[in-house]
């Protein structure tokens, strides 16, 4: 149950770098490394009318986890309140020990032997 809650609230992002149509690098915790074939942007003093088309592409896949796991006690019905109180009471009392150790077999007499079964069956404990 705890793993299910952790998996549903976990957010992560995967960064991917493609060169053409090939996946070159991916990263779970940061930016994906470039392949080194990125087109450099011209500076303002050297304006070119022709610009090369970039062959590289960066993509980021982001998965957001569920963040609204707060339980409001005010929205519970009477039956749910009764269940929570009964469950809490029984769970707390589950770990309480007895006041004294009660042994009910102290005064129990052993049964009378009609026949000695170990000798009749020829089974002896060594």
């Amino acid at each position: 149950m705890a793993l299910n809650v952790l998996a549903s609230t976990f957010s992560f992002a995967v960064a991917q770098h493609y060169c053409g149509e090939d996946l070159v690098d991916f990263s779970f915790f940061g930016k994906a490394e470039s392949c080194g074939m990125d087109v450099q942007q011209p500076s303002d003093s050297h304006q070119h009318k022709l610009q090369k088309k970039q062959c590289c592409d960066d993509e980021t896949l982001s998965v957001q986890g569920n963040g609204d796991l707060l339980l409001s006690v005010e929205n519970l019905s009477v039956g749910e309140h009764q269940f929570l109180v009964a469950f809490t009471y029984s769970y707390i009392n589950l770990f309480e020990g007895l006041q004294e150790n009660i042994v009910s077999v102290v005064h129990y007499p052993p049964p009378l032997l009609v026949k000695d079964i170990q000798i009749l069956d020829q089974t002896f404990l060594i």
Side-chain angles (χ1 to χ4, degrees):
M1 181 88 156
L3 289 176
N4 190 12
V5 171
L6 179 67
S8 66
T9 59
F10 189 68
S11 300
F12 64 94
V14 177
Q16 300 170 342
H17 180 78
Y18 288 95
C19 188
E21 293 184 9
D22 297 327
L23 177 64
V24 176
D25 190 28
F26 67 94
S27 175
F28 288 108
F29 298 110
K31 187 178 179 196
E33 293 290 324
S34 175
C35 61
M37 296 184 63
D38 295 331
V39 175
Q40 303 241 341
Q41 297 294 332
S43 63
D44 292 335
S45 63
H46 301 94
Q47 290 290 332
H48 296 288
K49 292 185 179 179
L50 297 175
Q51 291 186 3
K52 287 186 176 180
K53 182 181 176 187
Q54 290 188 352
C55 66
C56 296
D57 187 27
D58 290 325
E59 291 183 7
T60 303
L61 171 70
S62 177
V63 176
Q64 295 294 324
N66 188 5
D68 54 349
L69 292 178
L70 299 175
L71 177 65
S72 177
V73 180
E74 292 86 22
N75 297 338
L76 296 178
S77 68
V78 175
E80 290 171 341
H81 273 287
Q82 289 176 346
F83 173 76
L84 285 176
V85 168
F87 180 77
T88 305
Y89 179 75
S90 63
Y91 187 77
I92 290 172
N93 289 334
L94 181 67
F95 298 109
E96 284 186 4
L98 296 175
Q99 295 295 334
E100 70 177 62
N101 193 5
I102 301 171
V103 180
S104 62
V105 294
V106 172
H107 302 291
Y108 180 74
L112 298 174
L113 286 177
V114 179
K115 296 180 181 176
D116 197 4
I117 295 183
Q118 291 173 338
I119 294 177
L120 288 174
D121 292 337
Q122 297 287 318
T123 57
F124 303 102
L125 186 65
I126 297 175

